[in-house]
């Protein structure tokens, strides 16, 4: 069996693990209603995307 020549340094371990570290989702502010929503989706509270009405939302 092939064995590693030297052990992985703490720095290299951290560099490897940084690739699959959890990052908080980037929330954007809706220009219409100001609610915090993730990018590239229609706003769930007012139904607009790129300042255009794209989905119908029931206003309670
Ligand atoms: Zn909105």
């Amino acid at each position: 069996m092939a064995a590693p020549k030297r052990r992985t340094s703490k720095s290299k371990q951290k560099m490897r693990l940084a690739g699959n570290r959890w990052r908080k989702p980037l929330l954007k502010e809706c220009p219409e209603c100001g609610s915090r929503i993730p990018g590239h989706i229609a706003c769930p509270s007012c139904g607009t995307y790129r300042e255009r009405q794209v989905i119908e939302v029931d206003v309670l």
Side-chain angles (χ1 to χ4, degrees):
M1 263 276 274
K5 200 160 195 175
R6 59 190 74 245
R7 68 173 175 175
T8 317
S9 68
K10 281 176 185 176
S11 166
K12 278 289 170 192
Q13 267 179 50
K14 283 173 183 171
M15 279 160 83
R16 183 182 348 111
L17 293 170
N20 46 31
R21 184 171 61 87
W22 184 84
R23 296 170 188 87
K24 77 162 191 248
L26 249 159
L27 293 172
K28 230 173 134 281
E29 221 160 81
C30 174
E32 292 297 313
C33 63
S35 66
R36 310 271 285 153
I37 47 159
H40 306 106
I41 63 151
C43 177
S45 54
C46 65
T48 57
Y49 185 71
R50 293 184 64 180
E51 283 149 55
R52 234 163 24 90
Q53 196 75 34
V54 286
I55 47 169
E56 297 299 316
V57 177
D58 299 319
V59 182
L60 296 169

